[in-house]
Amino acid sequence: MIRMTLFLLLLLLRLSATPLFFNRKEHLWHENLETIIETRHLPNITIISTGGTIAGVANSSETTTSYRSGTLGITEVIKDIRGNLENVANIHVDQFLNIDSLEINSSLAVRISHRIGREVLNPCTQGIVLTLGTDLMSEVATLLSLTIESNKPVVLTGAIRPHTARSADGPGNIIAAVTTATGRSSRSHEVVIVMQDKILAPWGTKKENDRFLPGPGSWLGDIRDSEPFFRRPFGHCAPLKIDISGLDPGVPLPTVEILHAYQDFPPSFVATAIAGGAEGLVLVGYGDGYWPSSSAQQIRDLLLETDIVTVFANAGQSEWARRK
């Protein structure tokens, strides 16, 4: 929640000073992609790969914890499941990145959103599967839910164990994600995560101890025999859409500092962040976002002297506030 609050705050700060446009000449057609499987009567699904554990390699098939993420290409990852996919969809692949998701900074996050945004405009595409590392999957999914406006399914998936592991879960997750992306019932759910036989909305979903835990109302359905079964006809949709198609990924986003409340929290930390050039603050308080009275008034006085965007947050909710 806190990391996604940061993403959203960064985007809003940039958007306030950036003219937005979209160049349709950047449209990417399937002839520019590598076609792995093609049958005329099946839907076209584009798999966009960014690396992660699903493309990870270890020294032995027994190793599941010490491995190199983002090593194999997506063509190699799906090589052994082509037979499972050939009656499901026409598969087109794009090796967009090949890194650990921990290396996805704000610039790369914007690039991923741009890439997905171009693909949903492709009339040849019926659905998109994005493979990436699981550590940042919920955050990237939430960003896409806020920035991609389309009724075409966008399904994120990854793996907990590397591709070389005897118990690798990545190939099965890809089959489930592709099948979900082809379904008509997926169109009303916007961006979803398919992991561990669950279909999850990004909102409130988090990875904890190698398990994906849904947020309130975010458990949309299940995967049974590699087929999606939704619990409800409509899922969570983003409360707003943010057009970031005009953002230049090469231009750094504004600096946002995250400060957590604790006993004897010194207000000077807030002053230091402001003096250091922070253009936004996320203040994570106790309980519902409360701060100790010993520092709350001093922090309030500091914020009143600036025009800095401030978010008061906790693990479960956040509230926008602009202090002047």
Side-chain angles (χ1 to χ4, degrees), residues 71-314:
T71 301
L72 297 176
I74 185 61
T75 305
E76 179 68 19
V77 171
I78 68 174
K79 180 179 65 175
D80 294 334
I81 57 173
R82 290 182 59 173
N84 302 88
L85 297 174
E86 61 186 9
N87 294 321
V88 176
N90 298 320
I91 303 298
H92 311 274
V93 298
D94 178 13
Q95 188 69 56
F96 187 63
L97 299 170
N98 210 357
I99 60 175
D100 190 315
S101 66
L102 296 178
E103 306 304 324
I104 296 178
N105 55 23
S106 57
S107 175
L108 290 177
V110 171
R111 285 184 58 199
I112 291 171
S113 177
H114 285 179
R115 178 64 188 89
I116 300 294
R118 292 197 301 272
E119 192 62 32
V120 296
L121 291 177
N122 188 340
C124 298
T125 299
Q126 280 76 55
I128 298 167
V129 171
L130 177 67
T131 65
L132 76 163
T134 55
D135 284 332
L136 219 63
M137 184 174 290
S138 296
E139 289 75 15
V140 172
T142 304
L143 175 68
L144 294 177
S145 184
L146 289 166
T147 58
I148 302 299
E149 189 163 8
S150 174
N151 65 351
K152 295 180 180 179
V154 177
V155 183
L156 284 75
T157 195
I160 300 299
R161 297 178 292 278
H163 185 75
T164 52
R166 184 173 298 166
S167 57
D169 55 321
N173 288 339
I174 290 177
I175 295 171
V178 169
T179 306
T180 301
T182 63
R184 290 183 177 273
S185 56
S186 301
R187 296 178 183 176
S188 60
H189 292 277
E190 294 190 333
V191 178
V192 300
I193 296 169
V194 170
M195 285 292 298
Q196 298 168 332
D197 292 330
K198 296 184 181 70
I199 306 171
L200 306 169
W203 305 98
T205 295
K206 62 180 180 179
K207 178 188 175 185
E208 187 174 289
N209 296 324
D210 283 344
R211 301 294 299 174
F212 273 79
L213 307 178
S218 292
W219 192 344
L220 304 178
D222 304 277
I223 302 296
R224 305 172 191 167
D225 299 326
S226 298
E227 295 284 343
F229 290 87
F230 285 92
R231 295 167 177 254
R232 55 179 67 89
F234 297 97
H236 283 337
C237 294
L240 73 160
K241 294 292 184 180
I242 306 171
D243 183 2
I244 66 169
S245 58
L247 289 183
D248 182 354
V251 177
L253 292 172
T255 300
V256 175
E257 298 290 350
I258 304 175
L259 301 174
H260 291 256
Y262 58 87
Q263 288 178 326
D264 303 320
F265 177 89
S268 60
F269 282 9
V270 175
T272 300
I274 296 173
E279 298 179 57
L281 292 176
V282 177
L283 302 180
V284 187
Y286 293 117
D288 290 331
Y290 297 110
W291 280 77
S293 58
S294 58
S295 60
Q297 185 58 51
Q298 296 178 65
I299 292 174
R300 185 178 294 109
D301 292 341
L302 285 169
L303 295 177
L304 288 172
E305 297 173 1
T306 71
D307 192 26
I308 192 169
V309 176
T310 305
V311 174
F312 298 92
N314 68 0

